[in-house]
Amino acid sequence: LDWLLLAVLTIGGGVIRFVRLSFPKGYVFDEVYYAKDACLYLAHGMHFCASPGVTEQSYVHPELGKWIIAVGEAIWGYNSFGWRIMACVFGTALVAVMFLIGRKLFGRWGGAIAGLLGATDFLLVVQSRTSMLDIFLAFFVAVGFLSVISDHQRVLRLRAAGEGKLDLRWRIAAGRAPKR
């Protein structure tokens, strides 16, 4: 039942995000910076990318999100669908991560509620449908938190079993330094 709930919520959240993703056809809000910067990362010229300069305009922001946007542009082209698709993919994946966090903390129905809220939250939907960096940050923070929860549960299981084996996988995934 858990996997069915996870699939239904993730697919439902994906449908909400993917339907008419390429509309409006032009830039929305800060897409004017990030989509053009991602285009420049793909070594297209400033005229092709409609960029006012030969270098990125949003240099104060980290590059990872713009490189992720560039993947979509490389596969689907420099158009509204191409520069929005990766945000949509990460936003849909965030629904699954939220379900897993809720499941680990509060059980099956807690996961279902967390996933439903993630799938239908207006801010997350909008961020998933625009070529901006916020949804990537939300996704990676949620994955880090899921890793912390997984490590904590692993440590509790080891303590209950009387084992003291140090395994750093979840802590490294969470970005935490190991405690000794």
Side-chain angles (χ1 to χ4, degrees):
L1 186 58
D2 287 347
W3 291 107
L4 179 62
L5 283 171
L6 175 64
V8 167
L9 290 169
T10 305
I11 291 169
V15 168
I16 292 170
R17 286 158 173 78
F18 278 95
V19 170
R20 295 178 47 98
L21 181 62
S22 60
F23 294 99
K25 289 288 186 189
Y27 302 108
V28 177
F29 194 56
D30 279 350
E31 283 183 340
V32 73
Y33 302 111
Y34 305 127
K36 291 178 182 182
D37 288 349
C39 180
L40 290 172
Y41 283 10
L42 295 173
H44 296 297
M46 65 183 269
H47 298 294
F48 179 86
C49 300
S51 177
V54 295
T55 60
E56 64 181 318
Q57 302 300 301
S58 61
Y59 58 87
V60 296
H61 297 287
E63 295 86 13
L64 179 60
K66 292 179 273 188
W67 276 112
I68 294 170
I69 293 168
V71 170
E73 291 179 5
I75 297 171
W76 286 281
Y78 186 63
N79 54 54
S80 57
F81 185 82
W83 66 64
R84 292 181 185 143
I85 184 69
M86 294 308 292
C88 198
V89 167
F90 274 73
T92 302
L94 179 60
V95 174
V97 172
M98 290 178 69
F99 173 87
L100 294 172
I101 289 170
R103 173 73 175 91
K104 285 186 173 286
L105 291 177
F106 305 112
R108 173 181 300 140
W109 297 111
I113 291 169
L116 179 64
L117 291 174
T120 59
D121 180 73
F122 295 136
L123 180 62
L124 290 177
V125 170
V126 169
Q127 291 295 328
S128 298
R129 293 179 52 84
T130 55
S131 179
M132 293 177 23
L133 307 180
D134 305 67
I135 199 67
F136 304 122
L137 175 65
F139 174 79
F140 288 120
V141 166
V143 168
F145 186 61
L146 179 61
S147 299
V148 169
I149 295 167
S150 298
D151 181 61
H152 180 70
Q153 290 178 341
R154 182 192 60 81
V155 168
L156 291 177
R157 281 193 307 273
L158 287 174
R159 285 183 182 163
E163 297 178 24
K165 180 181 170 189
L166 183 62
D167 182 4
L168 302 178
R169 288 177 297 173
W170 289 112
R171 291 187 187 199
I172 291 170
R176 288 177 46 189
K179 291 184 180 179
R180 297 208 180 239

